[in-house]
């Protein structure tokens, strides 16, 4: 199927989350510095955002910087901060025109005040857009998100008997966003890496050996098609099995 093909099966996942892994190895395999891999990954992100709009995905969550990524060399951390700023400076108008609503998940506090301001301005500018919600996980960790939620509940005086799954959902950075239907991890690693650890309880996974900069629209379409073939049971029985126990 060509690059202009806009079909991708009948059941498009509402929310796709992506661990964009393999930028470093992509660069290394070309004798380039790691940051060149992150820049190539950013180019690819632009293509995948367009593909989401085209295929009708409503929520895209991307893992751009984890709470553990602070352990990387200073040059790489600064490079990733610069990429975030650059994406906002150069892509925001286009994203806004395309109907993309930007959101951030994670803690903004540790970022430079200038970057925090840009992120907040971008969120405010795009808040009414409806075509695609793009959640950027930046200085995000799933455990940190849960800790943050618990602290907030305690501060607000939530009573133990009031705590249930719906309430926890409301105290996470992703409040109001449906749980991911499909999580894609590029570069072949079989780990959750502290990404959406609460929200991923019943997500479908798609892992590909392709490095993120090479994970193009065609590969994305394949991932969405693989998803349409999954039988999501959420711990129960599929409709076929529930209706006819001989299928169990
Ligand atoms: C993982 O690959 C990737 C990251 C830690 C950063 C991902 C960031 C981008 C693609 C840039 C887009 C960012 C924004 C803010 C929009 P890795 O470096 O761990 O790769 P490796 O496992 O091969 O070393």
């Amino acid at each position: 199927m060509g690059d202009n093909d806009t079909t991708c099966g009948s059941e498009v996942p509402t929310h796709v989350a992506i661990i964009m892994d393999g930028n470093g190895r992509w660069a290394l395999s070309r004798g380039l510095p790691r940051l060149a891999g992150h820049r190539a990954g950013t180019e690819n992100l632009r293509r995948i955002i367009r593909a989401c709009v085209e295929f009708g995905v409503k929520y895209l969550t991307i893992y751009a910087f984890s709470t553990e990524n602070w352990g990387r060399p200073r040059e790489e951390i600064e490079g990733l901060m610069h990429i975030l700023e650059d994406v906002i400076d150069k892509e925001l108008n286009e994203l806004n025109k395309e109907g993309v609503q930007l959101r951030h998940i994670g803690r903004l506090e540790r970022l430079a005040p200038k970057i925090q301001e840009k992120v907040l301005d971008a969120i405010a500018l795009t808040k009414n857009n409806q075509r695609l919600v793009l959640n950027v996980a930046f200085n995000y960790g799933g455990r940190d998100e849960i800790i943050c939620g618990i602290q907030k509940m305690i501060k607000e005086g939530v009573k133990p008997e009031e705590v249930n799954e719906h309430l926890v959902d409301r105290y996470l950075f992703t409040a109001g966003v449906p749980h991911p239907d499909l999580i894609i991890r590029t570069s072949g690693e079989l780990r959750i890496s502290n990404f959406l650890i609460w929200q991923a309880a019943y997500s479908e996974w798609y892992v590909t050996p392709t490095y993120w900069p090479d994970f193009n629209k065609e590969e994305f379409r394949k991932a969405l098609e693989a998803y349409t073939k999954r039988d999501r049971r959420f711990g129960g029985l599929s409709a076929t099995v529930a209706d006819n126990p001989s299928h169990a």
Side-chain angles (χ1 to χ4, degrees):
M1 245 171 241
D3 204 41
N4 292 327
D5 177 45
T6 57
T7 61
C8 66
S10 53
E11 266 179 68
V12 178
T14 302
H15 183 177
V16 176
I18 308 183
I19 302 180
M20 308 179 289
D21 199 8
N23 294 344
R25 278 163 285 165
W26 181 92
L28 200 71
S29 68
R30 285 164 174 76
L32 297 169
R34 292 179 56 81
L35 265 177
H38 294 315
R39 279 194 288 270
T42 309
E43 280 301 306
N44 192 48
L45 178 58
R46 187 187 291 151
R47 291 190 277 273
I48 297 303
I49 292 171
R50 299 246 150 76
C52 282
V53 170
E54 197 176 304
F55 292 152
V57 170
K58 289 293 173 200
Y59 296 85
L60 172 66
T61 300
I62 51 158
Y63 206 7
F65 192 94
S66 75
T67 45
E68 288 70 36
N69 287 155
W70 293 105
R72 293 194 176 200
R74 205 174 62 141
E75 191 191 324
E76 186 169 347
I77 296 173
E78 284 172 2
L80 286 165
M81 297 291 159
H82 185 68
I83 286 178
L84 174 62
E85 216 181 331
D86 222 37
V87 165
I88 298 176
D89 288 344
K90 297 189 180 141
E91 308 290 337
L92 183 61
N93 282 342
E94 195 57 34
L95 290 171
N96 190 33
K97 265 194 238 151
E98 285 181 21
V100 176
Q101 182 187 137
L102 268 166
R103 290 200 196 176
H104 167 255
I105 57 171
R107 291 200 202 226
L108 275 185
E109 304 96 89
R110 203 170 159 187
L111 309 189
K114 185 176 66 160
I115 301 184
Q116 293 187 32
E117 205 177 300
K118 283 187 182 182
V119 171
L120 293 174
D121 287 350
I123 292 170
L125 178 77
T126 61
K127 71 176 195 304
N128 295 320
N129 292 343
Q130 296 293 330
R131 211 147 171 216
L132 172 72
V133 172
L134 174 61
N135 277 315
V136 180
F138 203 99
N139 192 20
Y140 171 88
R143 289 178 176 173
D144 186 53
E145 176 178 42
I146 291 169
I147 290 170
C148 217
I150 294 172
Q151 288 173 338
K152 207 163 162 226
M153 280 183 215
I154 294 171
K155 274 189 204 140
E156 292 180 9
V158 172
K159 295 189 180 68
E161 60 276 17
E162 287 170 349
V163 179
N164 58 36
E165 291 187 13
H166 296 294
L167 185 105
V168 173
D169 270 327
R170 295 214 314 268
Y171 278 83
L172 298 179
F173 298 139
T174 51
V177 172
H179 294 164
D181 301 294
L182 174 67
I183 302 181
I184 297 171
R185 181 162 192 155
T186 57
S187 93
E189 307 292 346
L190 301 174
R191 286 191 291 278
I192 195 164
S193 297
N194 205 10
F195 187 47
L196 303 175
I197 54 178
W198 167 275
Q199 300 86 337
Y202 278 101
S203 303
E204 295 294 324
W205 280 83
Y206 182 89
V207 177
T208 169
T210 306
Y211 294 150
W212 171 250
D214 292 330
F215 184 80
N216 58 20
K217 181 178 166 187
E218 177 61 13
E219 292 238 16
F220 185 54
R221 194 185 56 76
K222 267 193 224 156
L224 298 191
E225 275 190 3
Y227 170 82
T228 66
K229 297 190 178 84
R230 304 281 174 89
D231 178 20
R232 299 190 76 189
R233 297 193 296 274
F234 298 93
L237 298 177
S238 68
T240 332
V241 175
D243 290 348
N244 182 353
S246 70
H247 282 81

